[in-house]
Amino acid sequence: MLEVPDPEYTSSKRAQANFKLAFVVSSAAVAVLWCLYGLNHLLAVDLLRFGLSPRQGWGLFGILTTPLLHASIEHLISNTLPLWVGLTLMLYLFPNASMRALPLIYLGSGVLAWVFARQAVHIGASGVVYGILGFLFVSGLLRRDLRSMGVSLMIAFVYGSIIWGLVPINNQMSWELHVAGSVMGVLMAWRLKTWDRPPMKVYDWERFDDEPPSG
């Protein structure tokens, strides 16, 4: 049975302020990606060479830089909307868990890809995107409240096709980053499944059941 979050909490001014903050933060993150892409082309500095190079000592720097770099405008566009939507929802629904999960998804996806990915320069925010969407999807299944489950179903319906990004069917796509991000997102969803649980609506019959019997 799905639990229903208390409407007084979900519609409160605090909840509205949290959503606005989540939207601003996610918008700023997306803006950084677009600014870096623009600078890379305007200044012709070839930032792409700082991508992730698996099992190369100098490639470790790419763990930090890979999510910030994109090879083409199409590549950047494909990551923009899911990152924007996913990050906003994650920060809004799970603010405390996000502070723990996001750094580990960001860094962990790079570390895992550095260990097992094929020899190539891997770039793009898709590892982080897969981690965020994986976190949201699995969190809904584990928490089983109406709000989280609704987001989980939305992720499955809108972005379900990204599952094909987990298999090596396109040599131009870093499926390794996708797998690494997904693993980190699922692990973080399981590890933090008890965090940020909103107060639930209590029905009158539930209050009655909690009362001690009278004789």
Side-chain angles (χ1 to χ4, degrees):
M1 180 177 178
L2 294 179
E3 296 182 288
V4 179
D6 189 340
E8 292 187 5
Y9 170 81
T10 56
S11 62
S12 66
K13 290 184 178 180
R14 178 181 177 183
Q16 294 172 14
N18 288 343
F19 179 80
K20 291 178 182 177
L21 178 60
F23 181 80
V24 169
V25 172
S26 62
S27 299
V30 168
V32 168
L33 300 185
W34 279 86
C35 287
L36 287 173
Y37 180 81
L39 287 174
N40 187 46
H41 283 265
L42 289 175
L43 303 180
V45 291
D46 190 21
L47 294 175
L48 301 186
R49 69 181 187 273
F50 297 114
L52 182 73
S53 296
R55 294 172 299 284
Q56 302 293 325
W58 56 270
L60 286 169
F61 186 66
I63 293 172
L64 296 176
T65 58
T66 289
L68 306 175
L69 306 174
H70 292 83
S72 66
I73 191 68
E74 293 80 11
H75 187 199
L76 179 55
I77 289 173
S78 69
N79 282 330
T80 294
L81 187 58
L83 178 63
W84 203 349
V85 173
L87 187 56
T88 298
L89 290 173
M90 187 173 176
L91 290 171
Y92 170 58
L93 296 177
F94 315 112
N96 295 309
S98 294
M99 295 301 101
R100 177 69 63 85
L102 284 172
L104 292 174
I105 289 172
Y106 188 103
L107 298 174
S109 60
V111 170
L112 289 178
W114 185 87
V115 171
F116 78 88
R118 66 199 137 102
Q119 289 297 331
V121 178
H122 298 260
I123 57 173
S126 55
V128 176
V129 169
Y130 271 73
I132 291 173
L133 297 183
F135 179 94
L136 289 170
F137 177 73
V138 175
S139 290
L141 300 180
L142 294 176
R143 294 165 184 265
R144 299 191 63 79
D145 67 82
L146 189 61
R147 189 172 65 161
S148 298
M149 182 61 77
V151 170
S152 182
L153 292 175
M154 184 272 286
I155 296 296
F157 180 75
V158 177
Y159 296 113
S161 61
I162 68 171
I163 193 172
W164 297 111
L166 300 175
V167 293
I169 58 177
N170 184 350
N171 288 332
Q172 302 302 313
M173 176 184 66
S174 181
W175 62 271
E176 297 96 328
L177 278 176
H178 301 169
V179 170
S182 298
V183 168
M184 292 304 302
V186 170
L187 288 176
M188 289 299 99
W190 178 81
R191 177 66 179 83
L192 304 173
K193 61 182 180 293
T194 61
W195 290 38
D196 298 303
R197 291 190 61 82
M200 297 298 165
K201 181 176 177 59
V202 179
Y203 295 93
D204 290 340
W205 61 268
E206 292 178 304
R207 293 192 183 96
F208 180 79
D209 285 349
D210 290 337
E211 294 177 1
S214 58

